[in-house]
């Protein structure tokens, strides 16, 4: 690649304020298996490294020496303006890996020596090729230190998003796949959701092991599929899930069959996994608007809806399995959860309250102390910007709206009083049902009420969350069942607290 093109690229990104570049040779031109000594191509892409942009310059050249020359040229021409990253290969460069999947000791040593020359020429940081053998990566880091490479070495982590892509990429890069990974993937390779979930788990565990060794910087290859990377970073506690922008008020599943789904009943807002498992058999998912709810067939309640991860189950036991003497003890639990004093709730699969709950948490606490035990709610929102940290969702430049909503358990007497008071507020709608299925409501059986909607540039109005009686009647079985299977059963069979919960 001519030096003039390299200088043109560097001058262009410098004008844009970009200060960090990754100098790598890149792939052969399209249609070529190997590099040829002809005029090469040039491509650029932008990635991120610690919130700063990196320009990836792909140099279609024959000799590795050119990358070394590029590093020297950047340092000589631009001094310390650019931070320079170069590529490192924990298993040696693919071109020296033999048919047995290994590089000879001589080839590996030569590869390390070349890496040191790049660092000595002015590279500030090494970003590695993808790998799945953490022990081998840590050996590579140690080998680098042994020959005097002291700059940061950033591990390249590529989450497994689908099986075929994983096999294709590791084959292309000649990446070693540990036998335990092959064994884990083989039985689930045709289940994309399971493969992606395993990829998040594997990536999380790899990063934990790497960080435990003292390396604190990670590079995740996203390939335009950021969900797995975000999940890994969330698992590691490096980012807060609440600060990730949301395409919809509820989190979209990664299942390809549900990609177009953009409407849901609000009742499962805090139990999205349960909703997904109970609707997994649907041939079509609501898109654009909620259709005839009576045509939707929900899966039956099973033990799966009441299973919890071990850590969450332990926390729930700590916070909710305490002596309950009277009804006020129960309402106090609900109040404390709304105020954020408890982290778990039997009626929620989420790890914490939604950020928007803080807007109305004092009101919710007051409601609970009056005997209305709330399990789901949202504040009114009138034209908030879509990038709002508490209530925002959807594309940039939009505005979001939502109706005030609250869902709760209460006694029949309190319900009757509430219905009587509601007559003075004709804009209020209510739906109430007891465990036996007796319905009291001021809306039609098939009425669908959109309670969130958004307006965005060049798009039709989106109405992703609805309330309707048909789905409420389906949800009520699960909501009532949680009293016993989600809470009461955590107590010994003859415990008076368990009896009190069953009575309620």
């Amino acid at each position: 690649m001519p030096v003039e093109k390299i200088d043109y690229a560097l001058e262009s990104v410098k004008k844009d304020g970009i200060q960090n570049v990754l100098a790598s040779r890149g792939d052969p031109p399209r249609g070529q298996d190997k590099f040829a000594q002809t005029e090469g191509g040039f491509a650029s892409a932008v990635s991120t490294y610690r919130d700063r942009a990196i320009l990836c310059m792909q140099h279609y050249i024959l000799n590795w020496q050119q990358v070394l020359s590029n590093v020297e040229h950047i340092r000589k021409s631009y001094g310390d303006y650019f931070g320079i990253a170069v590529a490192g290969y924990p298993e040696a460069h693919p071109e020296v890996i033999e048919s047995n999947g290994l590089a000879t000791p001589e080839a590996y040593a030569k590869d390390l020596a070349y890496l040191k020359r790049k660092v000595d020429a002015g590279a500030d940081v090494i970003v590695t090729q993808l790998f799945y053998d953490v022990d081998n990566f840590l050996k590579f880091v140690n080998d680098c230190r042994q020959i005097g490479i002291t700059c940061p070495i950033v591990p390249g982590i590529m989450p497994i998003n689908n099986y075929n892509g994983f096999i294709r990429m590791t084959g292309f890069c000649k990446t070693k796949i540990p036998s335990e990974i092959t064994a884990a993937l083989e039985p689930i390779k045709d289940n994309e959701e399971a493969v992606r979930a395993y990829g998040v788990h594997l990536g999380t565990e790899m990063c934990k092991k790497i960080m435990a060794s003292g390396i604190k910087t990670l590079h995740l290859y996203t390939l335009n599929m950021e969900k797995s990377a975000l999940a890994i970073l969330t698992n590691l506690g490096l980012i807060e899930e609440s600060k990730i922008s949301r395409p919809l008020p509820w989190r979209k599943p990664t299942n390809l069959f549900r990609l177009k789904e953009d409407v849901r009943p609000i009742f499962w807002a805090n139990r999205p996994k349960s909703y997904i498992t109970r609707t997994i058999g649907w041939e079509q998912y609501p898109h654009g608007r909620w259709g005839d709810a009576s045509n939707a067939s929900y899966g039956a309640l099973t033990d799966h809806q009441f299973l919890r991860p071990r850590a969450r189950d332990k926390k729930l036991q700590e916070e909710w399995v305490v002596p309950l003497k009277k009804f006020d003890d129960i309402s106090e639990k609900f109040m404390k959860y709304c105020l954020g004093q408890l982290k778990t709730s039997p009626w929620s699969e989420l790890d914490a309250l939604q950020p928007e709950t803080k807007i109305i948490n004092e009101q919710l606490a007051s409601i609970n102390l009056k005997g209305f035990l709330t399990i789901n709610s949202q504040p009114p929102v009138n034209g908030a910007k879509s990038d709002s940290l508490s209530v925002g969702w959807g594309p940039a430049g939009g505005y979001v709206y939502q109706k005030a909503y609250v869902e709760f358990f209460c006694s029949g007497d309190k319900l009757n009083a509430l219905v009587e008071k509601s007559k003075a507020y004709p804009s209020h709608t209510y739906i109430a049902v007891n465990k036996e299925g007796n319905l009291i409501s001021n809306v039609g059986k098939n009425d669908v009420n959109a309670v969130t909607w958004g307006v965005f540039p060049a798009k039709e109005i989106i109405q992703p969350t609805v309330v309707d009686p048909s789905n409420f009647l389906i949800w009520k079985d699960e909501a009532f069942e949680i009293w016993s299977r989600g809470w009461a059963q955590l107590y010994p069979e003859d415990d008076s607290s368990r009896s009190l919960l069953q009575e309620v």
Side-chain angles (χ1 to χ4, degrees), residues 230 233-235 237-245 355 358:
L230 290 173
L233 294 175
T234 302
N235 290 346
L238 297 177
I239 58 174
E240 293 180 34
E241 191 169 12
S242 62
K243 293 184 178 178
I244 302 171
S245 61
K358 292 182 180 179

Side-chain angles (χ1 to χ4, degrees), residues 290-416:
W290 186 265
D292 185 356
S294 62
N295 292 333
S297 177
Y298 284 82
L301 282 173
T302 66
D303 289 341
H304 186 83
Q305 272 78 43
F306 303 97
L307 291 175
R308 292 180 292 268
R310 184 177 300 175
R312 179 172 174 75
D313 195 56
K314 182 180 178 182
K315 190 67 175 175
L316 195 70
Q317 293 264 359
E318 291 175 0
E319 294 185 336
W320 289 78
V321 184
V322 298
L324 303 170
K325 303 295 184 183
K326 54 188 183 300
F327 179 80
D328 288 351
D329 295 337
I330 296 174
S331 60
E332 185 180 8
K333 283 290 174 191
F334 283 81
M335 177 205 69
K336 286 184 174 180
Y337 179 67
C338 290
L339 293 176
Q341 295 172 11
L342 302 179
K343 300 300 182 185
T344 60
S345 164
W347 282 268
S348 177
E349 298 168 345
L350 307 180
D351 293 330
L353 292 168
Q354 298 281 20
E356 65 180 21
T357 305
K358 292 182 180 179
I359 299 172
I360 53 173
N361 64 351
E362 295 288 347
Q363 292 166 286
L364 291 173
S366 176
I367 290 171
N368 279 286
L369 288 181
K370 292 176 181 177
F372 300 90
L373 309 180
T374 64
I375 59 171
N376 193 3
S377 62
Q378 67 177 30
V381 174
N382 187 17
K385 289 186 177 181
S386 58
D387 60 359
S388 164
L389 289 178
S390 57
V391 297
W393 56 273
Y399 293 88
V400 297
Y401 303 79
Q402 58 190 42
K403 297 175 183 177
Y405 172 82
V406 64
E407 185 180 329
F408 52 84
F409 295 98
C410 71
S411 67
D413 291 340
K414 289 187 180 296
L415 172 63
N416 292 334

Side-chain angles (χ1 to χ4, degrees), residues 364-489:
L364 291 173
S366 176
I367 290 171
N368 279 286
L369 288 181
K370 292 176 181 177
F372 300 90
L373 309 180
T374 64
I375 59 171
N376 193 3
S377 62
Q378 67 177 30
V381 174
N382 187 17
K385 289 186 177 181
S386 58
D387 60 359
S388 164
L389 289 178
S390 57
V391 297
W393 56 273
Y399 293 88
V400 297
Y401 303 79
Q402 58 190 42
K403 297 175 183 177
Y405 172 82
V406 64
E407 185 180 329
F408 52 84
F409 295 98
C410 71
S411 67
D413 291 340
K414 289 187 180 296
L415 172 63
N416 292 334
L418 196 61
V419 168
E420 188 62 32
K421 284 180 178 283
S422 293
K423 292 177 181 178
Y425 302 93
S427 65
H428 287 192
T429 60
Y430 58 83
I431 313 170
V433 65
N434 63 9
K435 193 171 183 180
E436 286 69 41
N438 300 313
L439 188 71
I440 298 175
S441 178
N442 64 349
V443 300
K445 182 179 178 182
N446 296 315
D447 287 356
V448 178
N449 189 345
V451 290
T452 64
W453 64 99
V455 183
F456 306 97
K459 285 180 177 289
E460 294 182 355
I461 292 175
I462 302 172
Q463 303 178 66
T465 317
V466 299
V467 167
D468 73 297
S470 298
N471 281 281
F472 188 63
L473 288 174
I474 294 167
W475 159 247
K476 67 97 177 170
D477 293 331
E478 187 169 335
F480 278 115
E481 194 71 12
I482 292 170
W483 278 97
S484 55
R485 295 170 73 175
W487 190 5
Q489 286 186 9

Side-chain angles (χ1 to χ4, degrees), residues 248-266:
L248 291 168
W250 38 268
R251 185 164 190 163
K252 296 192 73 169
T254 54
N255 189 322
L256 288 175
F257 296 106
R258 305 183 79 127
L259 281 180
K260 291 186 177 181
E261 179 186 18
D262 61 6
V263 187
R264 282 187 186 177
I266 197 171

Side-chain angles (χ1 to χ4, degrees), residues 135-204:
D135 289 334
N136 192 68
F137 163 75
L138 296 176
K139 175 184 177 298
F140 166 76
V141 173
N142 184 63
D143 291 341
C144 288
R145 302 305 184 218
Q146 293 296 320
I147 63 171
I149 296 175
T150 59
C151 71
I153 299 175
V154 181
I157 308 297
M158 183 173 288
I160 303 173
N161 280 293
N162 67 78
Y163 183 77
N164 290 333
F166 166 72
I167 294 299
R168 185 168 57 251
M169 185 63 74
T170 52
F172 176 75
C173 297
K174 298 184 180 180
T175 307
K176 176 187 174 183
I177 306 174
S179 58
E180 60 269 21
I181 295 178
T182 301
L185 285 172
E186 183 60 31
I188 61 170
K189 63 182 181 182
D190 297 322
N191 184 336
E192 189 157 336
E193 195 168 345
V195 169
R196 190 178 289 111
Y198 173 74
V200 170
H201 167 75
L202 175 66
T204 301

